[in-house]
Amino acid sequence: MPELPEVETVRRGLAPVLVGKRVASLEARRPDLRFPFPDNFAKRVAGQSVVGLERRAKYLIASLSGGEDLVMHLGMTGRFTIMHEGQADTPGHYAYGVGPDPTHDHVVFHLSGGTRVVYNDPRRFGFMVMMARAERLQHPLFRELGAEPLGEELTADYLAAKAMSRKVNLKAFLMDQHVIAGLGNIYVSEALFQAGLSPNRAARSLADRRGAPTDRAIRLVPAIRDVLERAIEAGGSTLRDYRHADGRRGEFQERFGVYDRAGSACHTAGCGGEIRRAVHSGRATFYCPRCQR
DNA sequence: ACTGTACCCTGTAGGC
DNA sequence: TGCCTACAGGGTACAG
């Protein structure tokens, strides 16, 4: 579900209620999600203050006052919901169709002051792990992550260097978190559309024989950035599960160029082509065969 | 080292 | 209505 724009939207929604606040207690209602929860999870979090809430790729990182980081991933269906003091567990108090869901509300952060932050995840592909803050960058989850797409590390030169020795197509290349960290199935399709590049094209065509970036790599970089920035501005994309931390839906799905539009007309002026659906590495890809070469 | 596939888990949509 | 299959924004563990 949540790709970079969705995770960033959740981060922005959670930060005001979490940062600077103390977690009075943590309630883990099952022993695991995708992975077991950290040893002594509740005890390690309880009583600590959240001193920062960052995002790296699709990870949310809550820095705790004791020196540990709580790293959270939303998987496909993970959702955080803020429940303010006095907001009872009755359906009428839940806005926007978000209701109590005892079977899938797995973790509850009880903040001092009464606000609760509830983590819900039907498929349980999400996870939460803890690590010493000083060791985070060396942790296996972070050590080999690729460039942050909205950061300065992502350049045409970087992409060309990464692509030169690869035999995969562009779709798989951009989905690879070791190359660019944060893109997922929606935004790879959208970025390729915006750059006018076919998902079937070989990744190595981003580099010339010497390893220098081709014009394709040069226009792919701003296309990726622009798609992500517009998506963040729209609060992400809600296909079904995803919600902001306050329950609102994202709106970027209204502006998809190709994603989930198979059989519909391409929006590009004068194109007249029909959006097609294909499968790459077992995942659906959407593209316009006329605009994307 | 790289690449493709199966798999983790649950819910929903569509065909029959 | 019910049953069955395919599919869904994620990543990992293998086999080749």
Side-chain angles (χ1 to χ4, degrees), chain A residues 239-261:
Chain A
L239 299 186
R240 35 198 303 159
D241 302 287
Y242 164 72
R243 299 298 170 116
H244 297 205
D246 63 6
R248 277 148 55 220
R249 298 165 58 85
E251 294 175 353
F252 193 68
Q253 69 280 4
E254 313 291 340
R255 289 166 226 174
F256 284 165
V258 289
Y259 191 85
D260 210 16
R261 297 194 62 243

Short mmCIF file of all heavy atoms in Angstrom, two decimals, chain A residues 239-261:
data_model
loop_
_atom_site.label_atom_id
_atom_site.label_comp_id
_atom_site.label_asym_id
_atom_site.label_seq_id
_atom_site.Cartn_x
_atom_site.Cartn_y
_atom_site.Cartn_z
N LEU A 239 -6.23 3.68 -2.68
CA LEU A 239 -6.90 2.71 -3.53
C LEU A 239 -7.98 2.01 -2.73
O LEU A 239 -9.08 1.82 -3.19
CB LEU A 239 -5.90 1.69 -4.07
CG LEU A 239 -4.78 2.25 -4.93
CD1 LEU A 239 -3.95 1.13 -5.52
CD2 LEU A 239 -5.34 3.12 -6.05
N ARG A 240 -7.64 1.60 -1.53
CA ARG A 240 -8.62 0.97 -0.65
C ARG A 240 -8.29 1.21 0.81
O ARG A 240 -9.02 1.88 1.51
CB ARG A 240 -8.74 -0.52 -0.95
CG ARG A 240 -7.41 -1.15 -1.34
CD ARG A 240 -7.58 -2.47 -2.04
NE ARG A 240 -8.34 -3.40 -1.23
CZ ARG A 240 -8.95 -4.43 -1.74
NH1 ARG A 240 -8.93 -4.64 -3.03
NH2 ARG A 240 -9.59 -5.25 -0.96
N ASP A 241 -7.17 0.70 1.28
CA ASP A 241 -6.89 0.74 2.72
C ASP A 241 -6.28 2.06 3.21
O ASP A 241 -6.57 2.50 4.30
CB ASP A 241 -5.91 -0.38 3.09
CG ASP A 241 -6.45 -1.73 2.72
OD1 ASP A 241 -7.37 -2.19 3.40
OD2 ASP A 241 -5.96 -2.31 1.73
N TYR A 242 -5.44 2.62 2.42
CA TYR A 242 -4.61 3.71 2.94
C TYR A 242 -5.41 4.91 3.42
O TYR A 242 -6.32 5.38 2.75
CB TYR A 242 -3.60 4.15 1.87
CG TYR A 242 -2.99 5.49 2.17
CD1 TYR A 242 -2.07 5.61 3.19
CD2 TYR A 242 -3.39 6.63 1.49
CE1 TYR A 242 -1.53 6.85 3.51
CE2 TYR A 242 -2.86 7.86 1.79
CZ TYR A 242 -1.94 7.96 2.81
OH TYR A 242 -1.43 9.18 3.12
N ARG A 243 -5.04 5.42 4.56
CA ARG A 243 -5.63 6.64 5.11
C ARG A 243 -4.55 7.49 5.75
O ARG A 243 -3.54 6.98 6.21
CB ARG A 243 -6.68 6.33 6.20
CG ARG A 243 -7.86 5.52 5.75
CD ARG A 243 -8.65 6.26 4.69
NE ARG A 243 -9.66 5.37 4.11
CZ ARG A 243 -10.96 5.57 4.21
NH1 ARG A 243 -11.41 6.61 4.86
NH2 ARG A 243 -11.81 4.74 3.64
N HIS A 244 -4.80 8.80 5.80
CA HIS A 244 -3.97 9.67 6.62
C HIS A 244 -4.15 9.24 8.08
O HIS A 244 -5.10 8.53 8.42
CB HIS A 244 -4.44 11.13 6.52
CG HIS A 244 -4.33 11.72 5.15
ND1 HIS A 244 -4.21 13.07 4.95
CD2 HIS A 244 -4.32 11.16 3.93
CE1 HIS A 244 -4.15 13.32 3.65
NE2 HIS A 244 -4.22 12.18 3.01
N ALA A 245 -3.29 9.79 8.94
CA ALA A 245 -3.41 9.44 10.36
C ALA A 245 -4.70 9.99 10.96
O ALA A 245 -5.15 9.54 12.00
CB ALA A 245 -2.20 9.97 11.13
N ASP A 246 -5.32 10.95 10.31
CA ASP A 246 -6.60 11.47 10.84
C ASP A 246 -7.80 10.85 10.11
O ASP A 246 -8.93 11.29 10.30
CB ASP A 246 -6.64 13.00 10.74
CG ASP A 246 -6.58 13.48 9.30
OD1 ASP A 246 -6.61 12.64 8.37
OD2 ASP A 246 -6.48 14.71 9.10
N GLY A 247 -7.54 9.84 9.29
CA GLY A 247 -8.63 9.11 8.66
C GLY A 247 -8.98 9.55 7.25
O GLY A 247 -9.73 8.87 6.56
N ARG A 248 -8.42 10.69 6.82
CA ARG A 248 -8.77 11.16 5.48
C ARG A 248 -8.15 10.28 4.40
O ARG A 248 -7.13 9.63 4.61
CB ARG A 248 -8.27 12.60 5.28
CG ARG A 248 -9.21 13.64 5.83
CD ARG A 248 -8.43 14.85 6.32
NE ARG A 248 -7.58 15.41 5.29
CZ ARG A 248 -6.34 15.86 5.50
NH1 ARG A 248 -5.81 15.81 6.70
NH2 ARG A 248 -5.64 16.35 4.51
N ARG A 249 -8.74 10.30 3.23
CA ARG A 249 -8.21 9.57 2.08
C ARG A 249 -7.20 10.43 1.34
O ARG A 249 -7.28 11.65 1.36
CB ARG A 249 -9.35 9.21 1.13
CG ARG A 249 -10.42 8.31 1.72
CD ARG A 249 -11.68 8.30 0.86
NE ARG A 249 -11.42 7.87 -0.50
CZ ARG A 249 -11.39 6.60 -0.91
NH1 ARG A 249 -11.62 5.64 -0.04
NH2 ARG A 249 -11.14 6.29 -2.16
N GLY A 250 -6.26 9.78 0.66
CA GLY A 250 -5.39 10.50 -0.24
C GLY A 250 -6.17 10.88 -1.49
O GLY A 250 -7.28 10.38 -1.71
N GLU A 251 -5.60 11.76 -2.28
CA GLU A 251 -6.33 12.20 -3.48
C GLU A 251 -5.55 12.03 -4.77
O GLU A 251 -6.06 12.35 -5.85
CB GLU A 251 -6.73 13.68 -3.32
CG GLU A 251 -7.73 13.88 -2.19
CD GLU A 251 -8.03 15.34 -1.94
OE1 GLU A 251 -7.37 16.21 -2.56
OE2 GLU A 251 -8.93 15.61 -1.13
N PHE A 252 -4.33 11.51 -4.67
CA PHE A 252 -3.53 11.46 -5.90
C PHE A 252 -4.09 10.45 -6.91
O PHE A 252 -3.82 10.57 -8.10
CB PHE A 252 -2.07 11.17 -5.59
CG PHE A 252 -1.16 11.41 -6.78
CD1 PHE A 252 -0.95 12.69 -7.24
CD2 PHE A 252 -0.55 10.35 -7.44
CE1 PHE A 252 -0.14 12.93 -8.35
CE2 PHE A 252 0.26 10.58 -8.54
CZ PHE A 252 0.47 11.87 -8.99
N GLN A 253 -4.88 9.48 -6.45
CA GLN A 253 -5.46 8.52 -7.39
C GLN A 253 -6.33 9.23 -8.43
O GLN A 253 -6.55 8.69 -9.51
CB GLN A 253 -6.26 7.44 -6.66
CG GLN A 253 -7.54 7.89 -5.97
CD GLN A 253 -7.28 8.54 -4.62
OE1 GLN A 253 -6.15 8.72 -4.21
NE2 GLN A 253 -8.36 8.91 -3.92
N GLU A 254 -6.82 10.42 -8.09
CA GLU A 254 -7.61 11.17 -9.08
C GLU A 254 -6.74 11.70 -10.20
O GLU A 254 -7.24 12.12 -11.24
CB GLU A 254 -8.29 12.38 -8.39
CG GLU A 254 -8.99 12.08 -7.07
CD GLU A 254 -10.22 11.22 -7.26
OE1 GLU A 254 -10.74 11.17 -8.39
OE2 GLU A 254 -10.65 10.60 -6.27
N ARG A 255 -5.42 11.70 -9.97
CA ARG A 255 -4.52 12.31 -10.97
C ARG A 255 -3.61 11.29 -11.61
O ARG A 255 -2.61 11.66 -12.24
CB ARG A 255 -3.69 13.41 -10.30
CG ARG A 255 -4.57 14.61 -9.97
CD ARG A 255 -3.90 15.57 -9.03
NE ARG A 255 -4.84 15.95 -7.97
CZ ARG A 255 -4.55 16.70 -6.92
NH1 ARG A 255 -3.33 17.16 -6.79
NH2 ARG A 255 -5.44 16.96 -6.01
N PHE A 256 -3.92 10.03 -11.44
CA PHE A 256 -3.09 9.00 -12.09
C PHE A 256 -3.08 9.21 -13.60
O PHE A 256 -4.12 9.46 -14.21
CB PHE A 256 -3.65 7.60 -11.82
CG PHE A 256 -3.39 7.06 -10.45
CD1 PHE A 256 -4.11 5.97 -9.98
CD2 PHE A 256 -2.43 7.62 -9.62
CE1 PHE A 256 -3.88 5.45 -8.71
CE2 PHE A 256 -2.19 7.12 -8.34
CZ PHE A 256 -2.93 6.03 -7.89
N GLY A 257 -1.90 9.08 -14.18
CA GLY A 257 -1.81 9.10 -15.63
C GLY A 257 -2.11 7.73 -16.21
O GLY A 257 -2.77 7.60 -17.23
N VAL A 258 -1.60 6.69 -15.55
CA VAL A 258 -1.74 5.34 -16.09
C VAL A 258 -2.19 4.30 -15.07
O VAL A 258 -2.87 3.33 -15.44
CB VAL A 258 -0.41 4.85 -16.72
CG1 VAL A 258 -0.12 5.60 -18.02
CG2 VAL A 258 0.76 5.00 -15.75
N TYR A 259 -1.82 4.48 -13.81
CA TYR A 259 -2.07 3.40 -12.85
C TYR A 259 -3.55 3.07 -12.74
O TYR A 259 -4.39 3.95 -12.54
CB TYR A 259 -1.50 3.76 -11.46
CG TYR A 259 -1.52 2.56 -10.55
CD1 TYR A 259 -0.47 1.64 -10.57
CD2 TYR A 259 -2.61 2.29 -9.74
CE1 TYR A 259 -0.50 0.51 -9.79
CE2 TYR A 259 -2.65 1.16 -8.95
CZ TYR A 259 -1.60 0.27 -8.98
OH TYR A 259 -1.64 -0.86 -8.22
N ASP A 260 -3.85 1.80 -12.87
CA ASP A 260 -5.24 1.31 -12.74
C ASP A 260 -6.16 1.88 -13.81
O ASP A 260 -7.36 1.96 -13.60
CB ASP A 260 -5.78 1.63 -11.33
CG ASP A 260 -6.80 0.59 -10.86
OD1 ASP A 260 -6.84 -0.50 -11.46
OD2 ASP A 260 -7.54 0.88 -9.91
N ARG A 261 -5.59 2.27 -14.96
CA ARG A 261 -6.41 2.88 -16.01
C ARG A 261 -6.43 2.02 -17.28
O ARG A 261 -6.71 2.54 -18.36
CB ARG A 261 -5.90 4.28 -16.33
CG ARG A 261 -6.01 5.28 -15.17
CD ARG A 261 -5.82 6.72 -15.63
NE ARG A 261 -6.86 7.10 -16.56
CZ ARG A 261 -6.63 7.43 -17.83
NH1 ARG A 261 -5.42 7.47 -18.31
NH2 ARG A 261 -7.65 7.74 -18.61
#
